[in-house]
């Protein structure tokens, strides 16, 4: 567990992931029925962009730093939530989800790293709508699903430190969708390993969900590997299962605007692939 999201908070992947998360949550808020958000890899909840880690990471200026002055109806709520986190701060997924809960909605968040968990508890703990678990996400997904009420969203946002993270994701989410096939799921992954992504997409196409969409947003040309064979992240991926009504129609406009703000001119265009639609 070496990964610390504080080095990456507010980067382009966070912007894309959280802008989509807010659209999914707003769709759940359209109905007067309570929902549950399960955030399997929650992080610490709130990040200091002026702190040492964020400065050393140096990623947010090319992420949330490029969103200043953006005015677009599909980004308005996300940007105003970021603004409400305070000057020099960037909110994580559990903070964003909590900010949108109504009195009967719930958030269940898991975080395995002890220090990240302690920080998460300090940030979100004192709220009866929120349950925090210091437990392994992959094990928790099996135990926590299906939730009560059976309406809501699962965000799966691993650190991708372990070499078999794609396989673990496929296995755990494959089991989760069998237990709860009508939930909305949003899975984040780095766009580096084309074979691993193709395998995840093939699995998702066979899962018992109504719809599976793969979103891809490059922000630059694919970089050459460094001397250790590692590539910097140039594109962010999201797999959405059962996206709510209307999302597939608005997603092109959302990705278009995000790419306009976040990407260099040499980036390949964003893509949305329908992996399954029944
Ligand atoms: C990419 S960060 C999450 C960021 C957060 N979802 C957000 O959007 O603000 C991944 C987090 O997962 C935690 N983590 C890593 N392995 C885990 C596991 N097996 N179970 C639960 N959390 C884990 C890491 O400590 C890290 O805080």
């Amino acid at each position: 567990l070496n990964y610390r999201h504080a080095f990456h908070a507010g980067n382009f992947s966070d912007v894309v992931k959280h802008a989509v998360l807010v659209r999914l949550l707003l769709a759940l808020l359209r109905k007067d029925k309570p929902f549950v958000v399960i955030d399997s890899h929650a992080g610490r909840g709130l990040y200091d962009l002026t702190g040492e880690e964020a400065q050393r990471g140096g990623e947010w200026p090319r992420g949330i730093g490029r969103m200043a002055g953006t005015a677009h109806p599909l980004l308005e709520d996300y940007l105003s939530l970021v603004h409400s986190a305070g000057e020099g701060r960037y909110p994580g997924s559990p903070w964003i989800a909590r900010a949108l809960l109504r009195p009967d909605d719930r958030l269940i968040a898991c975080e395995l790293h002890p220090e990240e968990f302690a920080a998460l508890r300090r940030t979100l703990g004192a709220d009866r709508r929120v349950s925090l678990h210091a437990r392994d996400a992959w094990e928790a997904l099996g135990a926590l699903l299906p939730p009560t009420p059976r309406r809501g969203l699962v965000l799966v946002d691993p650190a991708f430190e372990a070499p078999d993270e794609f396989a673990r994701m496929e296995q755990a989410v494959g089991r989760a969708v069998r237990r709860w096939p009508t939930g909305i799921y949003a899975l984040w992954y780095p766009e580096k390993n084309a074979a691993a992504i193709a395998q995840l997409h093939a699995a998702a196409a066979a899962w018992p969900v109504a719809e599976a969409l793969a979103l891809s947003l490059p922000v630059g040309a694919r970089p050459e590997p460094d001397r250790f064979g590692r590539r910097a992240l140039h594109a962010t991926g999201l797999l959405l299962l059962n996206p709510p009504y209307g999302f597939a129609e608005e997603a092109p406009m959302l990705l278009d605007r995000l790419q306009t703000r976040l990407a260099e001119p040499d980036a390949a265009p964003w893509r949305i692939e329908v992996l399954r639609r029944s």
Side-chain angles (χ1 to χ4, degrees):
L1 275 181
N2 288 320
Y3 180 92
R4 289 301 183 87
H5 196 64
F7 287 93
H8 311 286
N11 69 4
F12 74 92
S13 292
D14 263 8
V15 172
V16 176
K17 179 196 311 174
H18 295 152
V20 168
L21 174 66
V22 169
R23 296 308 304 170
L24 300 176
L25 291 166
L26 291 175
L28 283 166
L29 286 163
R30 282 204 291 262
K31 275 197 193 154
D32 191 20
K33 287 188 186 152
F35 63 81
V36 181
V37 178
I38 296 165
D39 193 341
S40 66
H41 297 73
R44 62 195 295 126
L46 190 60
Y47 300 89
D48 177 6
L49 298 181
T50 65
E52 198 202 324
E53 289 113 325
Q55 297 294 321
R56 272 172 49 203
E59 296 186 16
W60 70 263
R62 281 174 286 124
I64 192 64
R66 288 190 170 169
M67 300 302 290
T70 307
H72 192 279
L74 295 176
L75 286 166
E76 198 178 308
D77 297 272
Y78 160 65
L79 291 171
S80 85
L81 278 170
V82 174
H83 184 73
S84 69
E87 180 85 26
R89 305 246 161 139
Y90 186 79
S93 51
W95 192 101
I96 290 171
R98 201 265 304 254
L100 290 172
L101 298 181
R102 299 165 298 191
D104 292 329
D105 301 324
R106 291 168 56 220
L107 167 66
I108 303 172
C110 303
E111 170 55 51
L112 198 54
H113 195 293
E115 283 171 32
E116 299 300 286
F117 182 77
L120 180 64
R121 195 156 57 185
R122 285 194 297 276
T123 306
L124 295 190
D127 186 326
R128 58 162 197 84
R129 301 166 302 175
V130 177
S131 323
L132 303 177
H133 298 257
R135 74 195 279 185
D136 175 56
W138 304 128
E139 172 269 321
L141 277 179
L144 297 171
L145 299 183
T148 307
R150 277 176 178 50
R151 177 166 191 266
L153 161 74
V154 182
L155 174 67
V156 185
D157 182 20
F160 284 90
E161 266 185 312
D164 61 345
E165 204 81 294
F166 270 100
R168 289 196 212 183
M169 186 185 235
E170 180 187 329
Q171 229 176 38
V173 177
R175 268 200 310 268
V177 292
R178 282 175 186 93
R179 296 173 77 101
W180 190 34
T182 56
I184 300 169
Y185 295 78
L187 280 55
W188 181 85
Y189 48 83
E191 289 216 357
K192 288 188 185 181
N193 181 341
I197 295 171
Q199 186 176 327
L200 178 68
H201 287 185
W207 285 339
V209 296
E211 188 172 1
L213 297 180
L215 277 48
S216 161
L217 194 135
V219 294
R222 185 175 161 84
E224 289 306 315
D226 67 10
R227 62 198 169 95
F228 305 108
R230 291 179 307 217
R231 270 179 227 276
L233 188 63
H234 78 295
T236 203
L238 277 174
L239 174 58
L240 298 181
L241 309 176
N242 299 320
Y245 178 76
F247 181 82
E249 288 68 36
E250 71 181 33
M253 286 171 280
L254 180 61
L255 294 189
D256 222 41
R257 178 46 64 107
L258 285 168
Q259 199 171 39
T260 304
R261 298 303 299 214
L262 296 171
E264 307 293 340
D266 56 359
W270 57 265
R271 278 181 293 119
I272 300 177
E273 202 181 330
V274 180
L275 304 174
R276 181 185 175 93
R277 192 170 270 161
S278 57

